[in-house]
Amino acid sequence: MQGLLTVLLFCATVCVISSEKLRFQKNAQDNLKVINFNQREENSGPYEPNWDSIDSRPLPGWYDEAKFGIFIHWGVYSVPAFKTEWFWRRWKDGNPDFVNFMKDNFKPKFTYPDFGPMFTAEMFDANHFADVLQASGAQYVVLTSKHHEGFTNWGSNYSWNWNAVDMGPNRDLVAELAGAVRSRTKLKFGLYYSLFEWFHPLYLKDAGNNFTTNEYVEMVMKPQMHELINEYKPHLIWSDGDWMSPDTYWDSVNFLAWLYNDSPVKEYVVVNDRWGKDDRCLHGGYYTCQDRYDPGVLQAHKWENCFTIDKSSWGYRRDATITDYLTMDEITQTLAETISCGGNLLLNFGPTHDGRIIPIFEERLRQTGEWLKVNGEAVYGSHPWTAQNDTLTKGVWYTTKDGFVYAFVLDWPENNSLDLGSPIPSTGTVVEMLGVKTPLQWKKSTTEGATINIAFPVLAGPQLPCDYAWVLKISMV
């Protein structure tokens, strides 16, 4: 009789464990429906020059796995370094702040191209930039090759005497950074390129013809894009300056068909959605939709949130104050919100005219890297979970990877007690805090709407794994 009871107890235990495993496996399978939200039907090409074909190309997997990149805005606008990288446009439009700035600080006949020789980059050390990028924890970097002012950071044959080799630094800044990044880091190297130029005579001529002519595209834009791709072989093309004219003017589908079929980067290159005035959030590779795009909910298509450490400017500016810079709480919050909803985060800074990363930018980048050393497990290669943020407690965002659920807790809970409403625990559930060796205690919560109560560890000072956005690793939910 005792032997029979033993067998029955063993069978009951196995049944409970098996039931929990089945429930866990079912949840994991349900999660896969969300995890694969970004995948498209496989199409290995060749790609035809139309949006149906171009949009059918699967997004190279490295981009979604990366999750976090760095954006660098650097150009002649770093010389006046006043208010915005749109300095030339604002000044020409007669904005009083810019008109008065020039009147107070420069001779009467001074022109914007006169800033060109002052963009010197004599302090630029590409190796130092690469080391800081590596320390930031980013997996890719995007450098501005040309912004709307038209100045190219490489020696373009189609921007005579308005490029970094012919004037100013007299150096190929794109080549130097690309070389340092590739030799010293594991980051993927990408390039930003502005399709249009505010004041290029050929562009203004085409615009005056209501874009029925395309001399600028054929003689400047397309040749420059081919230069960049054939010479520097970027992993990513961040197109911009598209909004004034349709993609037919830019000849976007023909360019992308060449890029995907015949270019030297066809196997791995990633592009965004800025290829014509009606294309954002509709065509291209991943979506950016608008600057600082942060929908706060799960999207059906891979997307990117690009935003800048200086809240008011993408380029370096001298008139910034300490409150103009994002705090680490703000950076980690935005990172958690973005990746929980299926996006990548592209964090921007602007170097100075002489090629330095100012201390507060370097500090933020290194702080982000230190945070990622502890919590990168929940970021890199992760996917959205069935819930993006908690149904009960604000400031908690979720990702999943390898069967685990990760909860980004933006604020340390009062009395070290956290109620959550989205994870449903099982008897086999284990809760850990990344960076803390001992598993955390948990119980089923008695709070209305809560499913689990987690006891945060009693830690102080150096015992804390990080100073902001603590991450819980939860199994069997």
Side-chain angles (χ1 to χ4, degrees), residues 285-302:
Y286 64 87
Y287 293 168
T288 61
C289 301
Q290 61 192 35
D291 293 349
R292 302 176 178 87
Y293 179 62
D294 189 7
V297 295
L298 183 64
Q299 299 297 293
H301 189 99
K302 185 64 189 181

Side-chain angles (χ1 to χ4, degrees), residues 338-358:
T338 298
I339 64 173
S340 295
C341 296
N344 276 22
L345 187 72
L346 188 62
L347 182 63
N348 176 80
F349 75 93
T352 62
H353 78 283
D354 55 4
R356 292 174 294 114
I357 306 173
I358 64 170

Side-chain angles (χ1 to χ4, degrees), residues 145-442:
S145 64
K146 183 188 79 170
H147 201 255
H148 312 323
E149 65 188 9
F151 187 91
T152 65
N153 279 330
W154 82 102
S156 175
N157 292 320
Y158 305 92
S159 185
W160 180 80
N161 209 36
W162 189 233
N163 67 73
V165 174
D166 288 343
M167 66 164 14
N170 298 127
R171 299 160 63 178
D172 186 332
L173 303 178
V174 174
E176 289 188 31
L177 187 60
V181 166
R182 287 167 173 156
S183 65
R184 300 173 73 90
T185 80
K186 296 181 179 180
L187 278 75
K188 302 289 193 295
F189 183 76
L191 289 170
Y192 166 106
Y193 178 83
S194 175
L195 300 180
F196 87 143
E197 298 179 21
W198 284 317
F199 306 115
H200 196 290
L202 292 179
Y203 176 77
L204 295 176
K205 179 181 177 182
D206 288 346
N209 292 330
N210 199 28
F211 300 111
T212 57
T213 57
N214 64 348
E215 290 185 42
Y216 169 79
V217 172
E218 293 299 326
M219 298 179 68
V220 180
M221 187 274 284
K222 286 169 66 176
Q224 286 184 342
M225 290 284 266
H226 280 79
E227 277 184 331
L228 288 174
I229 291 155
N230 289 322
E231 179 67 24
Y232 306 107
K233 300 176 177 57
H235 270 74
L236 190 151
I237 295 291
W238 214 101
S239 178
D240 196 19
D242 58 313
W243 60 85
M244 295 295 291
S245 48
D247 57 50
T248 51
Y249 169 71
W250 300 117
D251 199 22
S252 298
V253 292
N254 279 302
F255 170 76
L256 291 171
W258 169 80
L259 186 71
Y260 292 168
N261 293 326
D262 300 315
S263 79
V265 297
K266 63 184 180 181
E267 300 295 335
Y268 56 78
V269 71
V270 171
V271 303
N272 63 356
D273 57 348
R274 302 188 179 195
W275 298 101
K277 68 177 183 179
D278 298 318
D279 292 346
R280 296 190 188 194
C281 256
L282 184 63
H283 293 306
Y286 64 87
Y287 293 168
T288 61
C289 301
Q290 61 192 35
D291 293 349
R292 302 176 178 87
Y293 179 62
D294 189 7
V297 295
L298 183 64
Q299 299 297 293
H301 189 99
K302 185 64 189 181
W303 60 281
E304 182 180 75
N305 178 1
C306 60
F307 76 124
T308 181
I309 297 174
D310 178 347
K311 301 172 189 177
S312 298
S313 177
W314 297 87
Y316 167 71
R317 64 188 178 104
R318 294 175 293 167
D319 54 314
T321 64
I322 192 64
T323 58
D324 290 326
Y325 300 111
L326 292 175
T327 65
M328 277 307 300
D329 282 318
E330 291 170 316
I331 291 172
T332 51
Q333 175 182 338
T334 306
L335 177 60
E337 292 175 354
T338 298
I339 64 173
S340 295
C341 296
N344 276 22
L345 187 72
L346 188 62
L347 182 63
N348 176 80
F349 75 93
T352 62
H353 78 283
D354 55 4
R356 292 174 294 114
I357 306 173
I358 64 170
I360 195 164
F361 287 155
E362 181 168 343
E363 180 183 53
R364 290 291 182 272
L365 296 177
R366 291 186 180 277
Q367 286 172 326
T368 303
E370 289 301 312
W371 184 87
L372 283 165
K373 283 181 182 178
V374 176
N375 300 298
E377 173 184 335
V379 176
Y380 307 125
S382 67
H383 303 281
W385 189 44
T386 49
Q388 280 65 69
N389 55 321
D390 195 65
T391 55
L392 178 70
T393 301
K394 291 183 178 180
V396 178
W397 296 82
Y398 295 105
T399 63
T400 186
K401 185 173 71 174
D402 298 332
F404 296 99
V405 173
Y406 296 91
F408 294 75
V409 183
L410 303 182
D411 298 303
W412 193 276
E414 291 186 13
N415 302 317
N416 296 332
S417 177
L418 177 68
D419 280 321
L420 297 177
S422 295
I424 301 174
S426 66
T427 55
T429 293
V430 176
V431 180
E432 303 170 80
M433 178 179 286
L434 297 185
V436 175
K437 294 181 180 180
T438 307
L440 308 188
Q441 298 296 310
W442 68 269

